[in-house]
Structure formats: structure tokens, C-alpha cells
Amino acid sequence: MHYAVTGGIASGKTWFCNKLRQCGNQVYSCDDAAKRILRTNNAVQQALKALVGENLYTAGGVLQKKVLAAYLTASNSNAEQVNAIVHPSVAADYLLWQQEQTSQHTFMECALLFESGFDRLVERTILIYTPETTRLRRLMLRDGISQEQALRWMRLQMPEEEKRQRADVVIYNT
């Protein structure tokens, strides 16, 4: 059985997935995979430079995270365009990882599970549900950002209520 763990930014997904790992489960992190792909996949890098601009990567090939973050948070359309470039590579990477696993149960940690359509890659979905006010406070503290910036990041994700309706299992993390 393949499960996916999702939830809004700062909901506690990573904490929950770390607990799964401590219990011996295999967990694939879509965020970690996307970061690796952004650093190493030439086709993805070229497509992103064409979309965002040549200044997205330094001459040495280092991703300029602030440039990407500014582009992503400028509009939902920008985020969708970036996701359309990155998500197919992450999905392919996950499927390869999944084939290599020998345990009966695997888990995928994916913040944009329903937005990306990655829920089709698993049998069951688990939502870590945390109220928006709690997530906002956590995000501001964790990343040292303003409320305005935190809200911009949060608005890039599907509303928690919609996720709650679509998830197979909901874990309330307050």
C-alpha cells in the first residue's frame, strides 16, 4: 500500500513523516526531490531559465532561491507554470523510487498532493490538518518572515477545507 501525507505549509507534515521514518517506514519527500531536480536536471533548469529568466541560476549553475521565490509568489499563474515544469520530473522520480522499495507500505510527503495530481500515484491520502492561524504563526517563526509573506506562500496552496474533503484520513494537529 502506498500512502501520501499532505497538509498546508507549516502543518506538521515533516514532523509526522520523521515519526514514520523512526518507526522504520520508507518516506519519499517531494520537496527534497524537487530541490535535487532543480540542482541537477539540465532540462528542468533550461525550461525554468526560459520562463523566469537567465538570472535564476548563477554562471556556475547555482539556483538563486530568492529569484525563484519572488517569481513563485508574484502570482498563482507563475507558480502553476513552474509546477508544470518541475512536477513531471518529481512524479517520474517518485515512481522509480517506489519500484525500488521492498517494504509493504511506503509514504510520500507532498505539500501539493492534490494540486499536482500526485494523489493518483498512491492508494490512500493522509492530511495533517492544522488551523490557518497556527500555521501562519509557525511559518512566520520558522522562516523569519512577515505575515504578508507567509500569507502569500499559504495562498499558493489549496484551501485546507478542500484538502480535508478529499483526504482519506485526517489527522488534527493543533
Side-chain angles (χ1 to χ4, degrees), residues 9 26 51 73 85 96 120 140 165:
I9 191 167
Q26 298 300 310
L51 177 66
T73 59
I85 293 169
L96 288 173
R120 75 186 187 288
M140 291 168 57
Q165 291 174 7

Side-chain angles (χ1 to χ4, degrees), residues 66-115:
K66 288 185 179 184
V67 173
L68 183 58
Y71 185 84
L72 284 168
T73 59
S75 74
N76 283 348
S77 174
N78 286 4
E80 289 170 7
Q81 291 174 46
V82 169
N83 291 341
I85 293 169
V86 178
H87 286 173
S89 294
V90 174
D93 189 69
Y94 169 74
L95 291 172
L96 288 173
W97 175 87
Q98 190 183 69
Q99 290 174 355
E100 295 170 354
Q101 303 311 304
T102 57
S103 59
Q104 287 186 305
H105 304 285
T106 62
F107 296 84
M108 171 205 306
E109 178 182 1
C110 185
L112 301 178
L113 180 70
F114 299 115
E115 298 92 329

Side-chain angles (χ1 to χ4, degrees), residues 9 43 60 74 77 102 108 122-123 134 138 142 144 159-160 166:
I9 191 167
S77 174
T102 57
M108 171 205 306
V122 299
E123 286 82 27
T134 303
R138 287 179 184 171
R142 183 188 77 190
E160 292 298 282
R166 294 178 68 174

Side-chain angles (χ1 to χ4, degrees), residues 28-35 90-91 94 108-112 118:
Y28 178 92
S29 168
C30 288
D31 282 350
D32 290 347
K35 289 173 187 173
V90 174
Y94 169 74
M108 171 205 306
E109 178 182 1
C110 185
L112 301 178
F118 285 10

